[in-house]
Amino acid sequence: MFYMLTTSATSLSIMILRLSIALKRNEIISLISHLQSFVDKYQVKRYVSRKKELDIMCYINLTVPPSIGIIFVLFFQEKFDSLRDEYLLDYCSNHPIHEKIYLIIFTLAYTIHFYVTSLLCTTLFTAIFNAYVDAMKQMLTETYRRLRLDISIKNISCASELLLKAQKTYQRIEDALSFSIFIAYLLIFVNFLNLVSISGSDFAQNSLQLRAVVFFLIFCWTASSFVKLTLAGSRLIDVSEAWKQNQQDIVRHCSRLKIKNEKELSYLLMFLEESRIDLAFTGWGIFRLERSLLLTIAEAMVSYSVLVATV
């Protein structure tokens, strides 16, 4: 019963994730275009390496899961007779070549529909996070250096305007992706529960043995993507903390210069007050993407697995 429930929850989570991306399609495309101009403005040095890394991740996500699925199913098809009814192989049992073609097509469609799409979504989220954080870090570094060299009203106004644009870009990312990110984290959680429910099922059934291995491979593959997504999202918190340190350094630098212009001093104090940023990517506002989230998820998974095993 619990196995059927977790299997349904996994399928439902994948469908909701796909639907959330589809409904936000135009908004995400607009966000990517806006983010591209934001990144190009600051000429991020790591842009080329990030692009190559993104290309490699996309190729891996497109090729590895279907390849593993095809090899695995073809290798085990003769060992698990109970799967013949499930995969409707009796229809082509007298034609081995037709059976293999059917299995390849079915496995490709299944992995692309259920797993490749979700992996590509997390890769997209990671790329957006990295692009924004790299540009944000470069922008804050330039702002810090500019104010260190010349604390003028012009530089202060320019810095305030840049921070306002960066915060608006951050809000657009949150509006477009936060719900999908929440569903993505929910997906890996229910996927793990599905794995636990399979491990507690009757392993006399060969199909359950096959599913256990498949789900374990899928869990490891998706978990690595979500770890990377979490680490990419947590970089924004690091940038925010670094900016707080830079603000304090600007204040110390101003105190040493002993600013005599009261207007410049008032503008500087206003800037320091308005430029306090505490940005963090979230999952629908429920949790923040930070490194401690990895430990929280691991703790929850262990707790629920023990609960399921004892029931």
Side-chain angles (χ1 to χ4, degrees):
M1 179 64 182
F2 188 74
Y3 161 71
M4 296 178 61
L5 181 63
T6 55
T7 301
S8 301
T10 302
S11 301
L12 182 61
S13 299
I14 294 173
M15 291 178 62
I16 294 176
L17 177 62
R18 291 167 60 92
L19 184 61
S20 66
I21 297 296
L23 293 177
K24 293 277 188 176
R25 177 177 176 272
N26 293 333
E27 189 174 347
I28 292 175
I29 293 175
S30 176
L31 169 64
I32 293 175
S33 177
H34 175 78
L35 188 62
Q36 184 67 52
S37 61
F38 183 73
V39 171
D40 291 342
K41 184 176 181 179
Y42 296 100
Q43 299 294 322
V44 179
K45 296 179 181 179
R46 301 187 63 181
Y47 175 74
V48 176
S49 61
R50 292 288 188 192
K51 187 176 183 301
K52 292 181 179 179
E53 180 183 350
L54 177 61
D55 292 339
I56 293 173
M57 287 299 299
C58 289
Y59 291 140
I60 292 176
N61 289 334
L62 283 171
T63 57
V64 174
S67 300
I68 292 177
I70 291 172
I71 294 172
F72 193 82
V73 172
L74 291 178
F75 180 76
F76 281 97
Q77 64 167 320
E78 297 179 356
K79 294 187 177 182
F80 295 94
D81 295 333
S82 60
L83 292 178
R84 305 190 70 83
D85 294 334
E86 183 174 348
Y87 288 100
L88 305 176
L89 295 181
D90 287 336
Y91 174 76
C92 48
S93 59
N94 296 326
H95 303 84
I97 296 179
H98 293 173
E99 180 176 319
K100 292 183 182 299
I101 294 175
Y102 174 85
L103 277 175
I104 291 174
I105 295 175
F106 178 85
T107 305
L108 279 173
Y110 185 84
T111 54
I112 291 174
H113 177 72
F114 281 97
Y115 303 111
V116 173
T117 303
S118 58
L119 290 173
L120 289 177
C121 289
T122 57
T123 302
L124 172 65
F125 300 157
T126 303
I128 291 176
F129 287 171
N130 284 329
Y132 175 76
V133 173
D134 288 340
M136 182 76 168
K137 185 177 180 179
Q138 184 71 19
M139 184 204 73
L140 292 178
T141 301
E142 292 179 4
T143 301
Y144 167 71
R145 291 173 179 173
R146 189 181 299 114
L147 291 176
R148 285 269 301 180
L149 294 175
D150 182 18
I151 306 176
S152 62
I153 296 177
K154 179 181 178 180
N155 286 341
I156 292 174
S157 300
C158 180
S160 299
E161 183 179 352
L162 291 177
L163 282 175
L164 183 61
K165 290 182 179 179
Q167 290 175 337
K168 288 182 178 179
T169 302
Y170 160 79
Q171 192 58 49
R172 291 187 63 173
I173 295 175
E174 278 289 289
D175 294 340
L177 303 182
S178 61
F179 178 72
S180 299
I181 291 171
F182 169 74
I183 299 299
Y185 277 91
L186 179 63
L187 173 60
I188 190 173
F189 184 73
V190 296
N191 198 0
F192 179 80
L193 291 182
N194 199 347
L195 180 63
V196 173
S197 66
I198 291 175
S199 65
S201 302
D202 184 10
F203 263 73
Q205 301 181 26
N206 290 331
S207 60
L208 285 178
Q209 295 180 13
L210 176 62
R211 285 196 184 98
V213 178
V214 171
F215 273 98
F216 179 75
L217 292 174
I218 293 170
F219 174 78
C220 293
W221 187 260
T222 53
S224 62
S225 297
F226 287 113
V227 168
K228 188 170 184 178
L229 177 63
T230 304
L231 295 178
S234 65
R235 294 180 61 231
L236 181 59
I237 299 178
D238 297 337
V239 171
S240 298
E241 293 297 327
W243 174 244
K244 293 178 183 178
Q245 298 295 327
N246 290 340
Q247 282 183 313
Q248 296 176 4
D249 188 67
I250 292 173
V251 172
R252 288 193 294 266
H253 182 67
C254 292
S255 63
R256 288 195 296 268
L257 292 179
K258 297 181 179 180
I259 299 177
K260 298 180 179 180
N261 190 327
E262 294 183 359
K263 183 176 291 187
E264 289 185 356
L265 181 59
S266 62
Y267 270 95
L268 177 62
L269 294 176
M270 184 182 300
F271 165 74
L272 293 176
E273 181 66 26
E274 294 179 352
S275 63
R276 293 179 181 177
I277 56 175
D278 186 19
L279 304 180
F281 296 119
T282 66
W284 209 23
I286 298 177
F287 55 84
R288 290 156 54 104
L289 270 64
E290 50 189 350
R291 293 180 181 86
S292 60
L293 181 63
L294 297 175
L295 296 177
T296 303
I297 293 178
E299 181 182 359
M301 287 180 176
V302 172
S303 300
Y304 277 96
S305 62
V306 172
L307 179 62
V308 171
T310 55
V311 172

